[in-house]
Amino acid sequence: MPDTPYLVAAVLVSAAVTWGLRALPFAVLGPLRASRTVRYLQSRMPAGIMVILVVYCLRDLPVTRTAVLAPLAALAVTVGVHLWRRNAPLSILAGTAVNVALASTVFAH
């Protein structure tokens, strides 16, 4: 069994490393928030991520089958609701509901 000073030192070192690893991201974020690059990415990334998600979701659709209509209708509803209300959660919810409803009823395999 290790002696008490060794155990105390191990706990203190572990605590210091844990505290440092948790504090490091906050110390790095301050200078990054003032960066022009981060501000540019902050304004452009949401649209870019959405484009990537749309391409990823639609890339394997079987365009020769009628099952392609459910995701395309959901995409149209999502875009339409977003253009109408400018509310991302509402748009996503509406598109998801349309996709689930059509895929599980009308275009079920």
Side-chain angles (χ1 to χ4, degrees):
M1 176 96 182
D3 55 347
T4 304
Y6 176 79
L7 291 175
V8 169
V11 168
L12 290 175
V13 168
S14 297
V17 169
T18 301
W19 183 86
L21 289 175
R22 291 182 182 217
L24 183 66
F26 294 103
V28 173
L29 281 180
L32 280 179
R33 286 191 178 133
S35 167
R36 285 182 43 199
T37 304
V38 171
R39 282 196 311 267
Y40 174 79
L41 290 174
Q42 184 179 15
S43 67
R44 302 290 192 255
M45 285 299 288
I49 290 172
M50 291 308 293
V51 169
I52 290 169
L53 286 173
V54 167
V55 170
Y56 177 77
C57 290
L58 299 179
R59 69 186 167 110
D60 291 330
L61 284 179
V63 293
T64 58
R65 301 178 65 198
T66 59
V68 76
L69 296 177
L72 292 179
L75 176 63
V77 167
T78 303
V79 170
V81 169
H82 190 71
L83 291 175
W84 174 47
R85 302 298 295 187
R86 298 279 183 210
N87 186 337
L90 179 64
S91 306
I92 293 167
L93 182 65
T96 302
V98 168
N99 188 39
V100 169
L102 290 177
S104 63
T105 57
V106 178
F107 300 110
H109 298 294

